[in-house]
Structure formats: C-alpha cells, structure tokens
Amino acid sequence: MLSFLAPAALAAAVMAAVPIAIHLLTSRASVRQDFPALAFLRRAHAGTARRARLRDFLLLLLRILAVLALVMALSGPYWRGGGAAGAPVVVVLDASASMQQRHLGASSWDHAVAAVARLSEELGDRPMLLLVAGSTVQRSGLMPSLDRGPVRALLATAKPRWGSGGNDQAVALALPLLDHGGDLYVVGDGSRSFLGGIDPQAMPAGVSLHLLDAGGGGANQAVKAVALEPGVAVVGRPCTVRAEIANYADQAVRLTVVVACGSDSRQSSHQISAGGSVIVAESFTPSVAGDLPVSATIVARENGADHFAADDLRQGIVSVRATLPVAVFSDGDARQSEGALKPLLAGLSAAGLAPTFQAGNRLAFLPALAVDDGAAVVVTASLAAVPDTRALVNHLLAGGALIQVVVSDADAALAAALSGMDPPLKTLPLVDLSNRRRGIGLGERDLNHPLLEGLRGREPLLSQVEALRYRPATLGVGGHLLLAWEDGSVALAERHVGTGRWLMLNASPADRDTNLAALEVLPLLTARIGQVLLPRRRDDCALPCGMLLSSSLPLTHDDGHQVSVIDGAVRLEDPGFYRDGRRVFAAAIAAHESDLRTVASPAGSSTSSTVEAVAMASSNPWWPWVLLLALVFLAGETWLAGGLRERQS
C-alpha cells in the first residue's frame, strides 16, 4: 500500500495549478487576420512550424512532469507491505523440540527469535501480540498492543522445549483476536511438524496467514522408538528390545547403535539408505523384578550430517514382573478333587505362573488387585452368579487377557454381560452325555496357533479327549476357532478385544465333565499361557515429552529438579527419567520432531524466508526513485530545449 510521509506537500502541487487554471479560464481567444502577402511564406514554413509546436508541447510536458516528480519526492512516498495501517498482528513462534536443531552456526530458535524481533520493529505502528507455542502457550499480553516491551520481554525469556509444541493451539487462540482482520505470522523451522493441525485454507475472511521459515530442515538421524516384545517382561524369561533408527538425510549413512537393558548392552553397525530406517533387535533376560531402564543410542556415524543430536538417545522404562500374575475368580471349591478348579490351578502353577484365588463377586475389585494393566491374566470358572463386569471390560481394553472356562450357567452368561463386546463363542444349554459309554471327542483343531504348540505331534493323545458334559456352541463375531468337538461345536475359541485377548474354553476340566486333566492336555494348554497372552508388544517404552501425567506426588528428574503437581497432574517437559518414590517414568522427544525435512507449502498458503517476510512487512521508501525520475525529466527537457535553440540560431 502506497503512503506519504508529508502528504501536505501534495497540496502544494494542487495550489500551484490554481493560477494556471485561472489563466486558462480567463484568457480570450485570439482573432486570426490573414495577410495575402504572407500566404506563400506560411506554406513554405508549414512543416517547420508543426515540428516546433510538437517540441514546445514536449518541453511543456517534461517541465510539468519534472515539477510534479519533485513535489512527489518532497511528500516522502513509501510502500507499506505489511498490511493496512493500524490492523493488528499476531505472531506465533514455534517452541517445539525441532527448533533446537543447528542451522548456519546457530539454532533454528535463534534465527526465529531474530526474525520476530525484526518483524516487531518493521511493524512498529501496528498493534502486535506474540504467542510462544511450546507445551503450553505463552503470550505477551491479552490483546495486540503498540507497546513492544512485553514482546521483547517474552522473546528474552522464552525457550524451546522438548515436546511437540502447540502451533495449532496458538493459532486457535490468535484467530479470535483477528476477528476484524489482520495478519497472522507463524514462525518456525519449516519441518514436518511445523503446520501440524493447521489448515491454511480455513482462515477467516480478512485474516492473512504468513508462514515464515526461519531456517532449518537439515539432515538428521534419530532413534524413533524403543519397543518391547512381549509387552511385559518377566524375570527369567527372554524379552526383545527393538529400536527403530531413522535416516532423514538425502544420502545413505552407516551408524553404530548401542541397545541397553539395565546394565547389559549390545552394539551393532547398520547401513541405512537415504530416507529409510532399520529395526535393531536385541534379546535380554531380566534377572530381577522392578523398573528396568532400556535405551538405544547412536554412538557413531561414518558419513552424513546430523543437525539435531538430542534425539540420538532414546530412553525408556520396562516394568519387570517376578512372575506373570494370574487372578482366578470362582465360587467353586479349589480343594474338591473332582471339581474344575483344582486341576485348573495345578495346571497354571505347573506353567510357572502365580495364580491367586478370589471369590467371583470380587471381580468388581479387579483394579484394587493391580491386575488391570495388561500384565495379568484373569481366569473365570465355576461362577455362582454373574458379577459386575465393568472392571473386566476395562482390563480387556487396557490390553489384558481373559480366560473364561465355561463350567456353570453363570460362566456361560458372563459373555453376554460384557456390554458392547462380542464373545469368542456363543453357548447353548448344557448337554449331559454321562449315560453313554463314550462322550463326544475332538474334531477340528488349529495346532499352528501358539497356544496349542504343546499339542502339536500328539495326535494319539488328542484322539483320546472326550467330554461327558458340554455345551453346544457356535463361533461368535470376530472369534477364531482353535478346537472343536466332533459335532462342530466350538470347544476353544479366541477373540481380540481392543489390545486385549479373550479365550473361552467350552469344556470343564473336572473329571466328571471331561478327561482334559487326566490326559495331561490341560497342563499342555496352560504351559504357553505366559508367552502367548502377555501383551504382544509395547510400541514405545517412553512417554512423549510435554505430556501431562496424572499423579498425586511430585516427580524428581534425574538431574535433580523437581516437577510440581498442578491440578492432579505433572508435565514431563525434558527427556530422561522421572521418579515419584514408587515408580519410574521415562520421557523422550516425540518421534516426528526428528523429521527435519522441509515440507512443501500447503494449498492456499506460501512459505517465505526471514528476509522475504521482513521485506514484505517493511516500509520501503520510494522518494529516491521519484527524485531520480524528476532528474531524468529535467535532463530530457534540457536536451530538447538546447537542440531547439541551436536550430533557431
């Protein structure tokens, strides 16, 4: 937009034109008188007169333009590129982890702060508000203001954190402040996390969005995640720590990686293609229970660059159990030799598990028994009545396992009581075959399933299995058939529920019902429960930096600083280990913050550099160019007038 430092000077040009206008309006028309004696002379000089009149007109035009240009230069014209004068400006400064990458001898954060400071100066005549988008959004004030003191103070004290930042939250705060129009600047490193959650095409009418890339988007290698298989570690049982190592650079790189679990570590070297990743897997066998630290570290690189060294280390916590807890809920008598519970408990104990026996009506207290975190197996059998199932639903959704042994009518009804969940199988009323010489035997079976590996190759044993009492059953929605009776009724089925697993055994292990326990089939089934029903995988052993963690106790970071509890939660701002006296937690940089590759501007927007953005926002003076144009006009007038005088002489 064109503006003037001294608009009153333009009025001088208008006033200077007033006498000319008066002269033209009051002058009388000349009377033309022909003289015959001059007719031949007029015809002889007709062409010369026309050229003289054209030169006179050009001289007049150049003199007028020169005077107007001089007056225009005195008025101080300049071009304002940052929007309408007085319109508010909101600047969102990205304070996420990737802003700490190195770029041109400084961090992207340093470049961004310098860019915001220059914008603040160039837009000094417009109200401004600064929002720093970290884990929490900081603001320089409540509303845009002409006072730049709060903006400078926030720039001096704010720092980038290790979390994902909140550019989208900051933009959501900014838009209501620009309801009457204005400019919104989002300043960051241009990496892939820069515009997460922001739709440039959804800007309200009158709001101009400017994306400012303050520098970054460099090459980087990082540890994206540290996973555990199975999802819960048990003392004396092997577990696998997997680390994903990513190469975001545009050239291949060879990295040396160390994976550690407790005091044990493994080192290996890996070639990673440009833009690719590898999985580094190492096996460990924990010897003690408790919270065990795990980590993956890039310790060396043979070639390639790394602009963000902080994500070369990723730490996590593995909770190691002394044994896999099994909670058995039943109203039966565990001491009764011909009952279903005694062989069931014996089979679980023989598998190296630690079953605890609870009355069926205590199923509602599942969280109080600390078995609802996916690390325990819940077994129900011989229920006298259908208990409250809400805790059981939460246990399955949290990744836990349920083995439902159908013995009583309440066992069969329990499946229907789990609201919103389709059971692995649907049972019918009990059929009693005890009066027959032989019961019903096994038919279809899936011995490739991990749970049934102990039965593989034991066909003679399986051919002896029979049931004297059983419930005809059909496969439920989403169920997977493992064993079936000869008439096609399902004997054992599995279904995944959320991240949990639900098994239904449609055969009581009691001697009066089946010969499962007598034939050693039950111990072979329970032998692999620990390996099969543990949560299969924990995708990342670390919590993301910047997240809120529910806690009633303050946490202490490994470097000694304490994190206070605010409204029943603590925020994990920095990578590393946190302790509350009972548990240990690990926080790490969000994986997508390591991807520093620059993204293309989304539809409806454009990304500019700092220099371009400041140039657009700045006030560019035009008076030197207008003055130069006036001199050009005067030079042309001088040349044309001098040539005319030479011809007249």
Side-chain angles (χ1 to χ4, degrees), residues 95 130-134 136-141 154 157-159 161 173:
L130 173 62
L131 301 175
V132 177
T136 57
V137 178
Q138 299 174 269
R139 53 197 302 165
S140 62
L154 183 55
T157 57
K159 294 181 180 179
R161 304 306 305 179
L173 289 173

Side-chain angles (χ1 to χ4, degrees), residues 16-104:
V18 171
I20 300 175
I22 294 174
H23 172 74
L24 293 175
L25 291 174
T26 58
S27 62
R28 297 180 180 179
S30 60
V31 179
R32 182 167 180 168
Q33 182 68 45
D34 291 329
F35 291 92
L38 299 176
F40 295 106
L41 184 60
R42 183 183 301 113
R43 283 196 295 270
H45 293 282
T48 303
R50 282 193 297 271
R51 287 193 295 272
R53 284 195 299 271
L54 177 60
R55 291 190 189 95
D56 291 340
F57 175 75
L58 290 177
L59 280 171
L60 177 62
L61 180 61
L62 287 173
R63 289 165 181 166
I64 292 174
L65 290 176
V67 172
L68 289 177
L70 286 172
V71 173
M72 181 74 74
L74 291 175
S75 67
Y78 66 95
W79 179 262
R80 181 187 299 277
V89 178
V90 178
V91 179
V92 174
L93 176 56
D94 184 8
S96 62
S98 65
M99 293 294 289
Q100 301 195 45
Q101 65 173 297
R102 304 298 297 176
H103 174 68
L104 297 178

Side-chain angles (χ1 to χ4, degrees), residues 357-384:
F357 185 76
Q358 302 288 337
N361 59 8
R362 286 186 57 82
L363 191 59
F365 299 97
L366 194 59
L369 299 172
V371 294
D372 63 332
D373 61 354
V377 178
V378 175
V379 180
T380 63
S382 300
L383 297 174

Side-chain angles (χ1 to χ4, degrees), residues 204-292:
V207 176
S208 298
L209 175 64
H210 310 276
L211 307 178
L212 198 160
D213 181 0
N220 189 45
Q221 294 86 40
V223 182
K224 286 185 64 176
V226 177
L228 180 71
E229 295 180 2
V232 175
V234 179
V235 171
R237 295 187 179 181
C239 62
T240 301
V241 177
R242 299 180 183 272
E244 183 178 1
I245 314 298
N247 175 25
Y248 298 113
D250 55 3
Q251 61 179 338
V253 62
R254 176 169 289 278
L255 303 176
T256 301
V257 179
V258 172
V259 177
C261 180
S263 59
D264 198 3
S265 64
R266 312 273 193 277
Q267 180 172 303
S268 56
S269 181
H270 304 271
Q271 180 80 16
I272 310 178
S273 61
S277 65
V278 297
I279 301 295
V280 181
E282 301 291 352
S283 180
F284 301 90
T285 303
S287 58
V288 294
D291 291 327
L292 195 65

Side-chain angles (χ1 to χ4, degrees), residues 486-559:
E486 288 175 334
D487 64 352
S489 298
V490 181
L492 180 63
E494 177 193 34
R495 182 178 183 272
H496 289 269
V497 178
T499 56
R501 302 175 75 179
W502 183 0
L503 281 149
M504 284 185 71
L505 177 61
N506 182 29
S508 166
D511 289 343
R512 63 185 179 85
D513 296 324
T514 67
N515 59 358
L516 287 176
L519 292 174
E520 299 180 355
V521 174
L522 185 62
L524 291 173
L525 280 174
T526 57
R528 291 190 54 80
I529 283 178
Q531 293 93 324
V532 174
L533 295 187
L534 282 172
R536 292 188 175 182
R537 178 183 175 92
R538 186 175 173 187
D539 290 331
D540 199 345
C541 298
L543 301 171
C545 285
M547 77 165 291
L548 281 172
L549 180 69
S550 298
S551 178
S552 59
L553 298 173
L555 299 184
T556 302
H557 192 268
D558 267 3
D559 64 8

